[in-house]
Every structure is written in C-alpha cells, then in structure tokens.
Amino acid sequence: MSESSATPRKNYVRPLDIKHGQVDMAHGAGGRAMAQLIEELFARHLGNEYLAQGDDGALLPAQGEGRLVMATDSHVVSPLFFPGGDIGCLSVHGTINDVAMMGAKPLWLSAGFILEEGFKLADLARIVQSMAAAAKEAGVPVVTGDTKVVERGKGDGVFITTTGVGVVAPGQALSGRSARPGDVILISGTLGDHGMAIMAERESLGFESPIVSDTAALHGLIAAMRASGADIHVLRDPTRGGLATTLNEIARQSGVGMMLQEKALPVNPAVNAACEFLGLDPLYVANEGKLVAICAENDAEKLLTAMRAHPLGGQSAIIGTVHEDAHHFVQMTTAFGGKRIVDWLSGEQLPRIC
Amino acid sequence: MKYIDEFRDGEVAKGLAEAIRREANPARNYHFMEFCGGHTHAISRYGVSDLLPANVKMIHGPGCPVCVLPIGRVDQAIRLAVEQGVMLCTYGDCLRVPASDGLSLMKAKARGGDIRMVYSSADAVLLAQKNPDKQVVFFAIGFETTTPPTAVAIKQAAALGLKNFSVLCCHVLTPSAISSILESPEVRQWGTVPLDGFIGPAHVSTIIGSRPYEFFAEEYRKPVVIAGFEPLDVMQAIKMLIRQVNEGRAEVENEFSRAVDRDGNKKAQQLVADVFEMRKHFEWRGLNVLPYSALRIRSQFAEFDAEKRFPLGYASVPDHKACECGAILRGVKRPQDCKIFGTVCTPENPVGSCMVSSEGACAAHYTYGRYKDV
C-alpha cells in the first residue's frame, strides 16, 4: 500500500457527477446518496438560514398581527424545459402567485421533488438552479423540502410540489367571493402565452415566431397595485383553464355574472395565430404570469395606470364588468357586435379536425 | 392576423347586417341551413344571429364529422386499441366521442389502450416507422377535406413498404348527407323541413369544387352559397341567399372564390379516387344508414385496410331514446326542443351526436347561446 493511499482522504465520498450522473433509487432511499443530493444540489442552490436548520420542518419567525396564508401546487409539466422557463422556475412562480392572490406577502416556500430513476443529474441541476434564481429574484426562499425517487417508468423525469406560506395584513385578505355588481375586470397582459409555448414545444410545431412562456412571480405587481390605493376586490391568476375558467370560478363564488368585451382582450399575435391554426381559443389557454383583478368601478382607471407602470403589467387592460345574474354566466360582446357565453371548459381543449 | 382579421371586422359586419335587413322582405321568413359545423361554430362564437333580422333563421346542419361518427365505429377503434393491442392514432376531437359502455377513446386510453392524438395522417405513418414492432392504425374520419391526406398516408405507407400501418376508414361524403336531409323517410315522419337554402361548406369545396351542389339547386330548387368560415363570409352568404330567394333563383353561388372554384382540386380528387371507392351503405350518427355516403379503401390497398387486417365486425348502436339529434340534424327541431338538452346531455356528458363536438348544433348552443333560453 502506498503512503499516499494510506492518508485519509478529505472528501472520501465522491461528489455528485452532475455532468454525467443520473438519479438512481438510492437518491430517494434516505441514506448517504440522498443526503448528498440534498446537500450538494438542493441546499447548495436554494440555501438560506431556515433550510440550513436541517430539520424536517423550518422554524419560522412570527409575523406580527398578520394572518398566515398557505397554498400548495404540484407541477408536472411536459416538456420540463420550454421557451421562457422550465419546471423549476414555474414551481416557484406558481405557488408564490397562489399566495399573493390571497392578498398575502409570500414569505417562504417548501419544495417536494419526485424524481424518476435514470433522470439526468445535469437536467436536475438546471432545474434547481432555475428554482434558486426564481426564488432569489422573488425574495421568497425555499426553506424546507422532501425528495423521493420512483422507479424508471413510474414518473416523468421530475415532479415538483411547492407549498408557499405568506402573511396577510389585517383587512387585506382577498377572496374570489368578493366580486360585486358594478365592479370592473382587468387583466395584467396577453392571454395564453404559457400554454401555447408548452404546446408548440411539446408537439414540435415549429412556429415561425417562437412563443415564450410568461411564467413570473406577480407579488411585486400586486404590491404596486395595492400601493395605488385602488379598492381591489378579487385577484386570481388564470393558470390552467385560462381566463375563461378563472372568471367562471369567480362568478360562481361571488354569485354574479360578467360581461367581457372581446375587442379589449390582449392576445399576442403569434399566440392568436397558433390558436387559430389549432382551433383553440386563447381564453382557455394557460397563463403563468398574468393576473385578473376585479375592483370598484371608480378605481379601475387608477388601478390600470398602476398595473401598466409595472414591468409585468405593461399590456394590462380593462376587459369587462360584473353584473347581477342568477345564472352566473360569463358572457362576452364579440368583436363582431354579437353576444355569446364564455363557458366553463369541457374536458381538455383539443385541436379540431378541419 | 393577416387574411383573418379582415373577415372579422365588426364595423364591416354592421354594414353587412344593415344590407341584410334591407334585402330581407319583412313579409316573409327565411330559413337557411349552414351545413357545416365550422359555420355553426362561427355563427355561435361571433354572435352572428344577434345581427340578423328576426325573420332570418339559421338552422344548424349535420356537417360536423365528429358528430356524425356512429358509436359502432368508435367501438371498433376502441376494440382495436384495447383488444388487439394496436397503437391507435386519431385527430384530437375524436377522443371525446362517446362510445358504448360509457367509454370513449380518451377513457379507453386511461384504461391502458395505446391511443395517440396526431395532428395529421402523416404523423401516424411516422409513428408506424418509429414503432416497427407495433401495429399502428390511423382512425380516419371526416368529410372530403380530410380524405386526401388519408389517401396520401396510405400511398406513403405503400411506398415505404410498411407492414404495420393500416387505416380504419370512416370518411363520409357531403352531398349524400344533404340529399338525406331533403328526402329521407324521417323527413316525412317529422314533417317538412322549412329550408329556403344552404350555406355550402367551404373546406369541402376546396377539394370537390362547387359543381356537386348544382344538382341540389336544380333538383330541389334550393339555392346554395359556398361560404368561408369567417363570420363575414357567413353574413355575406346569407345576404346572397336572401337575394336568390327574393328573385326566385335557385343557383350555386360561390362566396369563397378566394379558394374555391367550380371544379375543385383535381389532384386531390385523383388521389382520393386512386385509393378509395364508394361504400354502398354507411351508418351516420343521427342520420341512420345512408346509401353511397362514405368511402372504403380499394382492394389494391387492402393490406392497409384495418377492417381487413383485423377481425372487426360492425355493430350498430342506437342513440339514447329521448335524444332528438335526428330531428335536429335535419333542422326540424332546435337543440332547446330536446328534453335532455342541457340536463342529461351536456358537453361534459354528451348523449347525442349534436352535443359531441364543439361544432355540433347542441354543443354550440349550449356553449355559446344558452343565455338566450333563460
């Protein structure tokens, strides 16, 4: 035995081979490999004083008089990487937005990973780094987490569940039950960018103008909207099911009807063209960086001005009004001057035959 | 969008609506059938009916390829996937069509059937090339518009020598359906169809031209205007139909001259003739069995015919007894006249054919227009 090999090695455990390695079952078994994955990948990128506590949960400081808001969301997007983002930043933005739409200031996130055996560590590293960047930019750290590995073929690479905790100041809580007849409906930008970016990538449709996801954390925009002093009654992010589904949910929760103006709906021309091509309606296509705001009629212009002044609300628009309706119909005056219902989506939107 | 927004201009629509009002004789009623689901969808989605005078009524016809697909055919596709273990490929909107035993292709997929949504018949051929160990069947449905691409797929599979590709051919023909509306025994049973003219399907006519409709105009004295699927196209066609009725003419006119001529696409017609021949009988959902109304694969391409490759007996499955689709597809009744409309039969749980696709008459009224019923 040579002298050098007898010397205790400082780093006896070989570091993760991010470049060539793959997730294997040991990464979810609770042993050294899992500890290593957490330490060298998750903690390295997502690290902060709470995550560093290393316990099963995070001990968090009290937040004065405010009430806590918690929201959770699971992310199973395919493909994992798409123009404008990936499952990592999406999982951070989505949950921050869910907390923020309640009128709360998002404070902390948890992240649960379900990894599939054989998943490339390099791809996982890209995802975690993207999460870290999104969490840092949003100022909302990931303070606790969990990892499981499932056998090859039993997952889709990686699933991420994030839970967000936030605090809402007294009198600031928002609910989908608060829309009132006479209120005005606003949207913070163009419709359908995320869903169409995913679909174009998934189906390799290769449109001439690449469509980019709008994934973004919206609590900064909401803070700016709040600062305007406008009397905001409802906030909601129109994710899966798009604007149409979100408005139907609010209409039912609040027991009201709504009337949209088709001409006022902002839609990116490339998204519009892609929807036209596939026979889809941008009203039903998912968004990940947009919000619907419903506010008192007199404050609508003030709120619109505040939204447009924020980088994430530059294309904000007033799109409709709330009225009394026992049937809770969401209707729309078409660009054509006619009227139609904007109904709940039935099942999935599927491309039509001809 | 260039070439699209021009046909959705609200200001032009107002002018056209005014012209229709001027054209329509207030002393009479006009009933026009838009044969194609694309027109039904445009009328509902853009609220075109709201712009028409009360004496001009639009009747939704049977021209939705998904709606007229009989349950027995979907059952065959499901059996192929579930019992024969084939990779079944089809267009997206076929997936939700209800079949027997509470199934649909989508539900059969959830039960383990290898069912793939494709955007074109060429994608199905590609899947067959990529999966040589699997039998790949393309479930081909649709009117004359989608038939040429299926012919191309079969010819391509033949050229490639593919042994694992076949087509379950359910392509149907527009003129037969129109004949059925005008002269089937059910019309006598349900009463006279109050039809003053037809809006002809644009996409179909890009293939077959406007000539096949001349027979209807002459034989039945019904004007036909071939029209595009944009709302302004539909309104222009209505105006042209009103004028024909007022002048006592019954001719085929072509509003969609930007893409349709009298003879159609001869290359596509030849492709279809090379690969397909007429079926003597074919069942349509809601319209029963219609003679010479569908296509089958010619014997020289028999190896690509799923009906010959697999044991697929056809069994007709009747619609729900209370379903009024037969009368609705012929324009004798309106969706809201059906007892199960919006209660038992909804887009989430379609019972009858007209509720199946968003282009069906019932689904269009439920989705876009039911506020008018309350």
Side-chain angles (χ1 to χ4, degrees):
Chain A
M1 186 179 284
S2 72
E3 194 176 323
S4 61
S5 66
T7 309
R9 291 171 59 166
K10 193 177 172 190
N11 293 311
Y12 182 73
V13 178
R14 292 179 64 183
L16 282 178
D17 183 357
I18 296 285
K19 199 169 175 190
H20 304 104
Q22 292 184 332
V23 168
D24 60 49
M25 297 304 290
H27 286 124
R32 187 192 297 277
M34 184 166 156
Q36 196 182 1
L37 186 72
I38 292 169
E39 199 174 300
E40 293 181 30
L41 190 52
F42 298 142
R44 179 178 157 212
H45 292 292
L46 300 168
N48 52 65
E49 61 185 297
Y50 306 107
L51 193 62
Q53 290 168 4
D55 295 318
D56 283 351
L59 187 63
L60 306 168
Q63 294 296 317
E65 298 291 305
R67 289 156 68 193
L68 287 180
V69 165
M70 190 163 103
T72 195
D73 206 350
S74 293
H75 302 271
V76 295
V77 64
S78 174
L80 297 168
F81 303 95
F82 47 82
D86 54 71
I87 191 172
C89 63
L90 188 69
S91 68
V92 168
H93 294 151
T95 297
I96 286 176
N97 290 345
D98 284 347
V99 172
M101 298 304 149
M102 303 282 292
K105 178 177 191 276
L107 294 172
W108 302 294
L109 291 170
S110 77
F113 296 87
I114 296 175
L115 308 173
E116 185 183 8
E117 181 185 19
F119 189 60
K120 286 182 184 155
L121 284 174
D123 285 344
L124 183 58
R126 266 179 79 188
I127 289 166
V128 176
Q129 285 161 17
S130 168
M131 284 182 83
K136 187 176 177 192
E137 190 185 345
V140 185
V142 176
V143 298
T144 185
D146 182 47
T147 305
K148 297 282 185 294
V149 176
V150 294
E151 287 174 23
R152 188 188 283 267
K154 292 191 173 173
D156 199 9
V158 54
F159 301 141
I160 304 176
T161 298
T162 46
T163 299
V165 172
V167 66
V168 59
Q172 296 281 300
L174 295 171
S175 161
R177 297 187 299 274
S178 307
R180 299 285 172 265
D183 282 356
V184 171
I185 308 164
L186 299 95
I187 183 86
S188 67
T190 53
L191 299 176
D193 300 69
H194 175 75
M196 202 44 73
I198 293 284
M199 202 174 296
E201 191 72 9
R202 184 160 57 203
E203 308 296 347
S204 307
L205 295 178
F207 292 121
E208 203 169 298
S209 318
I211 299 168
V212 176
S213 168
D214 59 346
T215 181
L218 297 168
H219 58 312
L221 170 62
I222 294 172
M225 291 161 68
R226 279 285 172 90
S228 75
D231 182 11
I232 300 169
H233 296 168
V234 181
L235 289 178
R236 189 69 64 83
D237 53 341
T239 53
R240 191 172 41 172
L243 177 69
T245 303
T246 297
L247 291 181
N248 274 286
E249 282 170 5
I250 298 170
R252 189 166 66 178
Q253 269 185 290
S254 294
V256 295
M258 296 179 181
M259 181 61 76
L260 303 179
Q261 300 299 322
E262 188 172 29
K263 274 186 188 165
L265 295 174
V267 184
N268 172 346
V271 169
N272 217 5
C275 282
E276 188 65 35
F277 175 71
L278 293 171
L280 304 176
D281 187 340
L283 277 165
Y284 294 88
V285 181
N287 312 274
E288 288 291 345
K290 300 290 159 35
L291 60 79
V292 173
I294 297 179
C295 76
E297 185 183 5
N298 290 339
D299 287 351
E301 287 298 333
K302 181 162 69 176
L303 186 59
L304 181 67
T305 304
M307 289 167 76
R308 284 185 172 166
H310 191 276
L312 292 176
Q315 289 177 276
S316 296
I318 290 174
I319 57 170
T321 51
V322 177
H323 59 258
E324 282 186 36
D325 179 1
H327 300 281
H328 313 155
F329 285 145
V330 176
Q331 298 181 55
M332 183 160 81
T333 302
T334 70
F336 221 61
K339 224 161 71 164
R340 61 170 262 206
I341 289 186
V342 176
D343 210 2
W344 292 88
L345 181 61
S346 300
E348 268 187 278
Q349 269 212 116
L350 295 169
R352 66 166 178 248
I353 177 170
C354 66
Chain B
M1 281 172 289
K2 208 173 176 195
Y3 309 124
I4 289 184
D5 290 344
E6 295 91 324
F7 299 97
R8 296 178 186 173
D9 187 318
E11 289 309 308
V12 179
K14 274 185 205 159
L16 208 38
E18 186 47 45
I20 288 172
R21 256 190 297 277
R22 279 197 306 269
E23 199 86 35
N25 175 358
R28 62 158 298 165
N29 287 316
Y30 301 84
H31 295 91
F32 300 124
M33 174 177 277
E34 82 278 1
F35 175 84
C36 184
H39 291 135
T40 303
H41 194 259
I43 289 168
S44 305
R45 180 171 171 178
Y46 294 93
V48 170
S49 305
D50 295 345
L51 278 66
L52 299 177
N55 60 334
V56 177
K57 302 259 191 256
M58 298 309 294
I59 294 164
H60 311 309
C64 162
V66 176
C67 299
V68 295
L69 186 64
I71 295 173
R73 290 283 165 187
V74 190
D75 286 350
Q76 283 184 322
I78 289 174
R79 283 208 308 278
L80 275 173
V82 175
E83 292 171 16
Q84 304 288 332
V86 311
M87 180 188 289
L88 189 97
C89 306
T90 193
Y91 296 122
D93 49 3
C94 290
L95 295 177
R96 289 178 48 228
V97 181
S100 300
D101 305 324
L103 278 176
S104 63
L105 283 166
M106 196 173 267
K107 286 177 184 167
K109 182 172 185 283
R111 291 191 183 181
D114 189 355
I115 294 164
R116 312 282 180 104
M117 184 184 84
V118 292
Y119 288 89
S120 74
S121 54
D123 290 348
V125 175
L126 203 61
L127 279 168
Q129 285 179 274
K130 283 184 179 169
N131 297 274
D133 302 335
K134 209 79 188 168
Q135 281 293 326
V136 175
V137 177
F138 178 56
F139 185 29
I141 81 156
F143 288 97
E144 290 86 342
T145 324
T146 50
T147 310
T150 305
V152 170
I154 289 173
K155 283 197 156 185
Q156 197 184 358
L160 291 166
L162 290 181
K163 300 293 175 203
N164 65 329
F165 177 80
S166 56
V167 170
L168 177 55
C169 178
C170 298
H171 285 298
V172 287
L173 301 168
T174 312
S176 320
I178 297 185
S179 298
S180 157
I181 291 162
L182 292 168
E183 60 180 19
S184 72
E186 288 81 2
V187 170
R188 286 193 285 279
Q189 175 194 333
W190 281 312
T192 309
V193 190
L195 285 182
D196 299 302
F198 287 94
I199 297 183
H203 288 175
V204 166
S205 286
T206 59
I207 307 296
I208 65 172
S210 61
R211 194 196 293 267
Y213 300 100
E214 290 172 3
F215 168 77
F216 300 104
E218 287 167 18
E219 185 70 16
Y220 299 104
R221 301 298 303 153
K222 303 284 183 194
V224 178
V225 176
I226 312 289
F229 293 118
E230 295 303 329
L232 284 181
D233 286 321
V234 177
M235 292 184 73
Q236 177 66 23
I238 293 168
K239 181 169 155 251
M240 291 164 76
L241 283 169
I242 292 173
R243 183 166 290 181
Q244 281 208 47
V245 170
N246 288 349
E247 293 174 359
R249 289 184 291 124
E251 297 165 10
V252 175
E253 292 182 317
N254 180 14
E255 184 277 338
F256 201 50
S257 56
R258 61 189 187 272
V260 165
D261 61 22
R262 189 164 178 243
D263 294 321
N265 182 334
K266 291 198 165 159
K267 193 175 170 192
Q269 289 166 20
Q270 189 56 53
L271 258 171
V272 171
D274 288 348
V275 177
F276 300 106
E277 61 189 8
M278 287 275 210
R279 286 182 193 259
K280 280 188 181 162
H281 300 285
F282 192 80
E283 184 183 6
W284 292 49
R285 192 166 192 176
L287 294 178
N288 295 328
V289 176
L290 302 184
Y292 298 103
S293 65
L295 298 174
R296 68 178 179 199
I297 297 168
R298 283 186 185 278
S299 55
Q300 54 264 51
F301 292 100
E303 61 178 310
F304 302 102
D305 188 343
E307 287 181 83
K308 296 207 167 85
R309 184 174 293 202
F310 301 97
L312 282 177
Y314 180 75
S316 173
V317 182
D319 265 326
H320 192 286
K321 278 182 187 163
C323 175
E324 299 274 18
C325 280
I328 293 165
L329 285 172
R330 291 172 172 85
V332 182
K333 290 190 175 177
R334 301 171 308 161
Q336 54 271 46
D337 298 330
C338 175
K339 278 184 194 140
I340 58 172
F341 172 79
T343 53
V344 177
C345 185
T346 62
E348 280 75 25
N349 179 32
V351 174
S353 60
C354 305
M355 193 62 94
V356 171
S357 149
S358 64
E359 295 188 354
C362 292
H365 182 66
Y366 185 92
T367 306
Y368 296 117
R370 71 183 188 278
Y371 69 92
K372 293 173 186 166
D373 303 338
V374 297

